[in-house]
Amino acid sequence: MINCLLIKVSYNSRGVLSRSYRTLTAEEITIGRGAECTIHLPDPRLAMHHAVIKRLDDGQIHLMAVNGELEVEGAILKNIALTNGKQVMIGPYQLKVEPAPPDVNITVSLVLVHRLPDDFQDIKARTHEPLRGASAFKRRLSLWMVAFIALVFLALPLAQNLIPKLHDAMAELPVGFDRVWSPGHISNSHRHFGSQCFNCHEVLTQKVTDQACVNCHQNTEPHIADPALHKNVFKSTSLFSDGIRCAECHREHKAPYPLARQDNAMCVKCHGNIKAADAKTTLPNIQDFDHDHPDFKLTFITGATEKDFERIPQTETTRLIEKSGLKFPHDQHFGKVQGPNGILDVRELSCANCHHSEGKEMRFKAVSFKRDCFDCHKNQLEVGSSEAKLSVPHGAEQNVINTLKVQAPKEMLHYSESLKVGGCAYCHEVVETKKEDALPWRVAPLHINQDWFRKAHFNHASHRTQQCQSCHQVEASESSEDVAMPDRKSCLRCHSGNSPKPKRIASSCMTCHSFHSSHAAHDGALPKK
C-alpha cells in the first residue's frame, strides 16, 4: 500500500500561484486522462492510462510508463525510481518528488508546464451539434439506462439482502441477484458455494469478518501458538492499526490468481523489524532469503516423547550428531556393494532402495526392516550351525528370548550372547541390563528423526530433476551419527530471494514456510502430524 501526498500547482486568471493538497492511498496510483485514474489529468495530450506509481519487490517506489511516454532530462524512459528531487515530464505536466512528511511514503507535485494552444480552444468553441435532436434522444436513453442500472445493480440485490422471504428463496438458486456486486471471479476453492454472497458477507456493506472464515475453517491453526502473544502482535501492535484479518492475505474474487498472497510484504512487515512486534523475541530481522535469512536450525530428537527435542543451528557443527541408536554407514549402502550370498553377489544400491516416496509432495516413508533391510541382513537373525540353523524374529527382545527358550533351550544362553555381540548388535546399540531384569540385554531405544525442519516444509517432487546426493552428501558417511541435511548455502545455489537472479529461482517466504502453525512448537509442543 502506498500513501502519497499529491500537491497540484496551478495559476489562476490573475497569474497567482496556488497549491492544493490531497492524500492518495492505493496499491498502485494510476495517472492519465481516464476518469478512473487515481490522478486524473484531463488533457488530450495524455493517454487514457499514461503511467502508474507502484512499489516494486525491492521496496522502492517507481514511476512506470503504461501507454504514454516519460521524459527525464530529454531521455525517454519506461521505469523511473522516484527519489527525492527527481523531475519527470508526463506529457505537458512536470512531476517532482518533494520531501515527504513522516506519515506518507512519498510526496509529489504536479504543475502544467505547457498549456494548450489558443487555437484548440477556438476549434472547441466552434464545434456544432452534429445531429439535430440528438440531445433529447441521448437524454431519454440515459434515463432508461439509469433506471435499468438502478434496478439490476441496486434494487434487486438490496431486495435480496433486506427481504427475508426473497433471501430464503434465492438461497435455493445457483446464482443470486447480488452476484452483480462481485468484483471478480470466485476461486476454485470457494466455487461450490461462492454464488451466494451471504455465505461470507454476513452483514450488508461490511467487510468479511474472521468469524465468517472460521465457520468453515475451524481447524486452522494460528500463526503463533501462544494466544496472548498472537493477540498482542496481530490485534494490539502499532504495526497493524486495525488488526489483521484473514482477508488481508487471502484475497477472494481474484481468480485465476492464487487465493493466498504470494508476496513477502505482510511477512516483512513484522519480521523485517521483529522487535517492534515482540520486544522479548530472540528472532533476528529477516527481509530476504538471499540477504539476511539466518542459518537453518535442525530438530534433534532427545527422548521418547514429542516434547523431547532440541533445535540446533547448522553453524554449530560439533553439536550436529544424531544419537539414533542405530549403526548405519551410508558409504557401505551406496553404489556397488557386497551382498550376503558370497563373493559373486554384488549389488547396485541407490537411495531409492531404502527411501520410498509417497504423496504428491514426495514425502518419504520410514525405513522398515522387513521391507528394506531383511533381504540383505536376514543372516544377522540366524544362530547355530548350518545344519541346525535357527532364525529369530525381528522385534521385541522378549520375543527373541522366548523363541530361543522354545526352540533351543540348551543353547539359549550361548545363542543369546551371539545375538548380543554380532546379531542385533550388527545394526543396533545393545545395552546391558540389571540383575533383576527378566532379559539378559536390551536394544537401545531408536530415535530416528523423520522431520529435521519442523518449522518449514519441503516438496521433494519439485526437486525430482536433481540427484539425491546433490543436497544429501552421504557417499562418504561412515557413521549413523552424521547429519546430511542441506544448509542455507546449498539452497542458495538454486534459489534466490524475492527477485530472480541468473540461474537462480526467486523464492518468497511462502516457498518454505506456512503462515498457519509455523510456530506450533510452543513450550516444547511439536506440530501435529
Side-chain angles (χ1 to χ4, degrees):
M1 193 67 69
I2 301 175
N3 292 327
C4 174
L5 176 61
L6 174 64
I7 305 173
K8 275 196 173 182
V9 182
S10 60
Y11 295 88
N12 61 20
S13 58
R14 293 178 293 176
V16 178
L17 177 68
S18 64
R19 287 172 173 253
S20 62
Y21 297 83
R22 184 160 62 105
T23 301
L24 307 173
T25 302
E27 290 284 350
E28 297 181 349
I29 299 174
T30 54
I31 304 173
R33 183 160 47 93
E36 68 277 9
C37 292
T38 314
I39 301 178
H40 176 219
L41 301 176
D43 192 294
R45 293 168 290 182
L46 292 176
M48 295 295 289
H49 301 91
H50 199 94
V52 62
I53 298 174
K54 62 188 300 184
R55 190 193 301 273
L56 299 187
D57 290 339
D58 58 4
Q60 178 66 45
I61 298 176
H62 287 239
L63 176 65
M64 306 178 69
V66 179
N67 295 316
E69 293 183 344
L70 303 175
E71 180 182 339
V72 178
E73 298 179 353
I76 304 300
L77 303 176
K78 289 289 187 182
N79 190 337
I80 303 166
L82 294 181
T83 55
N84 194 24
K86 178 71 73 175
Q87 296 184 8
V88 184
M89 291 300 298
I90 306 176
Y93 289 85
Q94 183 189 68
L95 181 145
K96 181 179 180 182
V97 182
E98 307 281 357
D103 56 339
V104 299
N105 303 123
I106 189 172
T107 299
V108 296
S109 62
L110 271 175
V111 59
L112 180 61
V113 177
H114 305 295
R115 300 181 64 84
L116 283 168
D118 294 336
D119 59 345
F120 177 82
Q121 297 295 341
D122 180 60
I123 293 172
K124 185 176 179 181
R126 290 187 287 108
T127 301
H128 63 279
E129 186 177 331
L131 292 175
R132 186 171 298 175
S135 296
F137 171 76
K138 290 179 180 179
R139 190 178 301 112
R140 290 193 299 271
L141 180 61
S142 299
L143 291 174
W144 279 107
M145 289 299 296
V146 167
F148 176 78
I149 292 172
L151 174 66
V152 174
F153 293 94
L154 182 61
L156 292 178
L158 280 174
Q160 177 181 336
N161 284 275
L162 297 178
I163 301 174
K165 290 184 178 180
L166 182 58
H167 183 281
D168 296 339
M170 295 301 297
E172 304 297 328
L173 300 178
V175 178
F177 291 131
D178 53 3
R179 184 67 179 271
V180 297
W181 286 348
S182 174
H185 293 292
I186 296 288
S187 62
N188 291 335
S189 303
H190 294 157
R191 187 169 292 176
H192 63 289
F193 67 83
S195 60
Q196 299 300 329
C197 303
F198 52 80
N199 285 316
C200 297
H201 299 272
E202 297 175 315
V203 180
L204 190 65
T205 72
Q206 291 187 11
K207 295 179 179 179
V208 175
T209 64
D210 288 351
Q211 186 57 47
C213 302
V214 173
N215 288 339
C216 291
H217 301 275
Q218 298 179 8
N219 296 324
T220 302
E221 296 286 346
H223 184 57
I224 305 174
D226 182 357
L229 181 58
H230 183 88
K231 181 179 179 181
N232 181 63
V233 170
F234 291 105
K235 300 299 181 184
S236 305
T237 181
S238 58
L239 292 174
F240 306 100
S241 58
D242 298 327
I244 184 169
R245 303 182 301 123
C246 302
E248 294 288 342
C249 293
H250 297 280
R251 295 179 169 181
E252 189 50 279
H253 298 290
K254 302 295 181 183
Y257 298 103
L259 182 60
R261 288 181 61 166
Q262 301 299 309
D263 61 283
N264 288 346
M266 294 300 293
C267 303
V268 173
K269 196 165 188 177
C270 274
H271 288 274
N273 182 15
I274 194 65
K275 291 288 186 181
D278 179 18
K280 298 180 180 179
T281 186
T282 58
L283 296 176
N285 293 333
I286 305 173
Q287 297 194 20
D288 187 272
F289 176 66
D290 200 0
H291 299 147
D292 54 6
H293 193 286
D295 289 294
F296 300 156
K297 288 185 178 181
L298 300 181
T299 301
F300 284 81
I301 297 175
T302 58
T305 69
E306 287 190 341
K307 292 185 178 181
D308 298 325
F309 73 97
E310 182 182 12
R311 300 183 71 238
I312 302 176
Q314 286 184 296
T315 50
E316 301 180 20
T317 54
T318 57
R319 299 178 61 199
L320 301 181
I321 299 174
E322 184 181 20
K323 299 293 185 180
S324 64
L326 278 180
K327 300 175 184 177
F328 184 83
H330 267 96
D331 62 340
Q332 295 183 24
H333 294 77
F334 188 85
K336 294 185 182 298
V337 300
Q338 176 67 56
N341 300 320
I343 192 171
L344 298 178
D345 185 10
V346 178
R347 306 185 180 192
E348 182 77 26
L349 295 183
S350 66
C351 303
N353 285 100
C354 301
H355 298 283
H356 303 274
S357 63
E358 63 179 349
K360 64 180 181 180
E361 292 189 357
M362 285 182 62
R363 304 286 293 180
F364 285 89
K365 301 176 183 177
V367 174
S368 165
F369 177 84
K370 183 177 181 180
R371 183 189 65 226
D372 306 314
C373 310
F374 180 78
D375 189 44
C376 293
H377 294 282
K378 58 185 177 181
N379 57 347
Q380 266 72 50
L381 298 176
E382 296 175 347
V383 291
S385 62
S386 56
E387 295 80 12
K389 190 171 291 185
L390 173 64
S391 295
V392 297
H394 181 269
E397 302 93 326
Q398 187 66 61
N399 294 340
V400 173
I401 300 300
N402 290 343
T403 301
L404 294 178
K405 287 180 178 179
V406 172
Q407 298 191 23
K410 294 181 179 180
E411 301 291 336
M412 193 273 293
L413 293 178
H414 173 67
Y415 287 166
S416 173
E417 188 66 20
S418 176
L419 288 171
K420 171 187 171 182
V421 175
C424 301
Y426 188 83
C427 299
H428 292 273
E429 299 285 348
V430 176
V431 295
E432 296 286 347
T433 57
K434 297 180 180 179
K435 291 183 178 180
E436 60 271 16
D437 199 313
L439 299 175
W441 50 264
R442 289 184 181 273
V443 171
L446 295 182
H447 302 301
I448 302 176
N449 199 348
Q450 300 296 337
D451 190 358
W452 290 95
F453 298 102
R454 293 284 173 91
K455 294 190 177 182
H457 58 79
F458 184 85
N459 190 328
H460 278 92
S462 301
H463 298 75
R464 67 172 74 236
T465 57
Q466 303 296 315
Q467 297 292 326
C468 300
Q469 54 268 32
S470 299
C471 299
H472 304 282
Q473 299 175 3
V474 297
E475 302 98 315
S477 174
E478 299 178 354
S479 171
S480 58
E481 294 184 348
D482 296 337
V483 177
M485 300 306 296
D487 56 12
R488 177 171 172 264
K489 291 181 180 179
S490 175
C491 296
L492 285 174
R493 291 200 298 264
C494 298
H495 295 268
S496 66
N498 300 338
S499 303
K501 293 186 177 180
K503 297 184 179 181
R504 291 202 284 164
I505 305 168
S507 304
S508 66
C509 302
M510 282 66 66
T511 303
C512 300
H513 298 284
S514 296
F515 178 86
H516 297 288
S517 72
S518 62
H519 294 81
H522 174 65
D523 291 338
L526 292 179
K528 296 178 181 179
K529 295 294 183 183

